[in-house]
PDB file of all heavy atoms in Angstrom:
ATOM      1  N   LEU C 220       8.643 -17.122  14.934  1.00 98.00           N
ATOM      2  CA  LEU C 220       8.881 -15.876  14.191  1.00 98.00           C
ATOM      3  C   LEU C 220       8.547 -16.053  12.694  1.00 98.00           C
ATOM      4  O   LEU C 220       8.647 -15.060  11.915  1.00 98.00           O
ATOM      5  CB  LEU C 220      10.261 -15.386  14.361  1.00 98.00           C
ATOM      6  CG  LEU C 220      10.593 -14.862  15.800  1.00 98.00           C
ATOM      7  CD1 LEU C 220      12.074 -14.393  15.830  1.00 98.00           C
ATOM      8  CD2 LEU C 220       9.765 -13.616  16.144  1.00 98.00           C
ATOM      9  N   ILE C 221       8.242 -17.265  12.255  1.00 98.00           N
ATOM     10  CA  ILE C 221       8.057 -17.449  10.831  1.00 98.00           C
ATOM     11  C   ILE C 221       6.798 -16.686  10.292  1.00 98.00           C
ATOM     12  O   ILE C 221       5.862 -16.505  11.114  1.00 98.00           O
ATOM     13  CB  ILE C 221       8.121 -18.863  10.294  1.00 98.00           C
ATOM     14  CG1 ILE C 221       6.887 -19.662  10.749  1.00 98.00           C
ATOM     15  CG2 ILE C 221       9.365 -19.581  10.785  1.00 98.00           C
ATOM     16  CD1 ILE C 221       6.849 -21.105  10.146  1.00 98.00           C
ATOM     17  N   PHE C 222       6.780 -16.355   9.105  1.00 98.00           N
ATOM     18  CA  PHE C 222       5.702 -15.481   8.522  1.00 98.00           C
ATOM     19  C   PHE C 222       4.341 -16.121   8.765  1.00 98.00           C
ATOM     20  O   PHE C 222       3.375 -15.409   9.220  1.00 98.00           O
ATOM     21  CB  PHE C 222       5.937 -15.293   7.022  1.00 98.00           C
ATOM     22  CG  PHE C 222       5.038 -14.213   6.457  1.00 98.00           C
ATOM     23  CD1 PHE C 222       5.381 -12.953   6.389  1.00 98.00           C
ATOM     24  CD2 PHE C 222       3.821 -14.661   5.912  1.00 98.00           C
ATOM     25  CE1 PHE C 222       4.413 -11.952   5.845  1.00 98.00           C
ATOM     26  CE2 PHE C 222       2.920 -13.674   5.391  1.00 98.00           C
ATOM     27  CZ  PHE C 222       3.284 -12.361   5.336  1.00 98.00           C
ATOM     28  N   SER C 223       4.261 -17.446   8.514  1.00 98.00           N
ATOM     29  CA  SER C 223       2.902 -18.000   8.672  1.00 98.00           C
ATOM     30  C   SER C 223       2.407 -17.978  10.095  1.00 98.00           C
ATOM     31  O   SER C 223       1.092 -18.120  10.350  1.00 98.00           O
ATOM     32  CB  SER C 223       3.008 -19.533   8.281  1.00 98.00           C
ATOM     33  OG  SER C 223       3.476 -19.638   6.907  1.00 98.00           O
ATOM     34  N   GLU C 224       3.285 -17.872  11.048  1.00 98.00           N
ATOM     35  CA  GLU C 224       2.900 -17.742  12.490  1.00 98.00           C
ATOM     36  C   GLU C 224       2.521 -16.333  12.947  1.00 98.00           C
ATOM     37  O   GLU C 224       1.711 -16.098  13.890  1.00 98.00           O
ATOM     38  CB  GLU C 224       3.889 -18.345  13.416  1.00 98.00           C
ATOM     39  CG  GLU C 224       4.164 -19.827  13.191  1.00 98.00           C
ATOM     40  CD  GLU C 224       2.920 -20.670  13.569  1.00 98.00           C
ATOM     41  OE1 GLU C 224       2.312 -20.393  14.636  1.00 98.00           O
ATOM     42  OE2 GLU C 224       2.563 -21.569  12.793  1.00 98.00           O
ATOM     43  N   VAL C 225       3.221 -15.371  12.396  1.00 98.00           N
ATOM     44  CA  VAL C 225       3.135 -13.969  12.811  1.00 98.00           C
ATOM     45  C   VAL C 225       2.086 -13.178  12.071  1.00 98.00           C
ATOM     46  O   VAL C 225       1.486 -12.308  12.645  1.00 98.00           O
ATOM     47  CB  VAL C 225       4.502 -13.305  12.709  1.00 98.00           C
ATOM     48  CG1 VAL C 225       4.458 -11.862  13.003  1.00 98.00           C
ATOM     49  CG2 VAL C 225       5.582 -14.022  13.596  1.00 98.00           C
ATOM     50  N   ASN C 226       1.959 -13.522  10.848  1.00 98.00           N
ATOM     51  CA  ASN C 226       1.131 -12.695   9.919  1.00 98.00           C
ATOM     52  C   ASN C 226      -0.290 -12.714  10.377  1.00 98.00           C
ATOM     53  O   ASN C 226      -0.885 -13.776  10.835  1.00 98.00           O
ATOM     54  CB  ASN C 226       1.151 -13.233   8.470  1.00 98.00           C
ATOM     55  CG  ASN C 226       0.519 -12.405   7.404  1.00 98.00           C
ATOM     56  OD1 ASN C 226       0.618 -11.187   7.604  1.00 98.00           O
ATOM     57  ND2 ASN C 226      -0.179 -13.003   6.516  1.00 98.00           N
ATOM     58  N   GLU C 227      -1.040 -11.603  10.213  1.00 98.00           N
ATOM     59  CA  GLU C 227      -2.500 -11.467  10.561  1.00 98.00           C
ATOM     60  C   GLU C 227      -2.848 -11.849  11.977  1.00 98.00           C
ATOM     61  O   GLU C 227      -3.940 -12.375  12.231  1.00 98.00           O
ATOM     62  CB  GLU C 227      -3.287 -12.320   9.499  1.00 98.00           C
ATOM     63  CG  GLU C 227      -3.303 -11.771   8.145  1.00 98.00           C
ATOM     64  CD  GLU C 227      -3.893 -10.357   8.034  1.00 98.00           C
ATOM     65  OE1 GLU C 227      -5.084 -10.314   8.135  1.00 98.00           O
ATOM     66  OE2 GLU C 227      -3.201  -9.448   7.822  1.00 98.00           O
ATOM     67  N   THR C 228      -1.910 -11.615  12.880  1.00 98.00           N
ATOM     68  CA  THR C 228      -2.269 -11.826  14.288  1.00 98.00           C
ATOM     69  C   THR C 228      -1.540 -10.874  15.150  1.00 98.00           C
ATOM     70  O   THR C 228      -0.731 -10.039  14.705  1.00 98.00           O
ATOM     71  CB  THR C 228      -1.965 -13.305  14.730  1.00 98.00           C
ATOM     72  OG1 THR C 228      -2.530 -13.611  15.939  1.00 98.00           O
ATOM     73  CG2 THR C 228      -0.446 -13.514  14.826  1.00 98.00           C
ATOM     74  N   VAL C 229      -1.809 -10.872  16.483  1.00 98.00           N
ATOM     75  CA  VAL C 229      -1.228 -10.075  17.436  1.00 98.00           C
ATOM     76  C   VAL C 229      -1.105 -10.847  18.694  1.00 98.00           C
ATOM     77  O   VAL C 229      -2.048 -11.694  18.985  1.00 98.00           O
ATOM     78  CB  VAL C 229      -2.003  -8.768  17.724  1.00 98.00           C
ATOM     79  CG1 VAL C 229      -1.484  -7.981  18.943  1.00 98.00           C
ATOM     80  CG2 VAL C 229      -2.148  -7.831  16.598  1.00 98.00           C
ATOM     81  N   LYS C 230      -0.108 -10.686  19.434  1.00 98.00           N
ATOM     82  CA  LYS C 230      -0.052 -11.383  20.745  1.00 98.00           C
ATOM     83  C   LYS C 230       0.692 -10.527  21.704  1.00 98.00           C
ATOM     84  O   LYS C 230       1.685  -9.800  21.267  1.00 98.00           O
ATOM     85  CB  LYS C 230       0.638 -12.786  20.732  1.00 98.00           C
ATOM     86  CG  LYS C 230       2.116 -12.786  20.394  1.00 98.00           C
ATOM     87  CD  LYS C 230       2.658 -14.177  20.510  1.00 98.00           C
ATOM     88  CE  LYS C 230       4.061 -14.230  19.994  1.00 98.00           C
ATOM     89  NZ  LYS C 230       4.723 -15.622  20.027  1.00 98.00           N
TER      90      LYS C 230
END
Side-chain angles (χ1 to χ4, degrees):
Chain C
L220 290 179
I221 69 173
F222 190 89
S223 303
E224 294 296 314
V225 172
N226 190 36
E227 291 296 290
T228 193
V229 173
K230 67 171 173 185

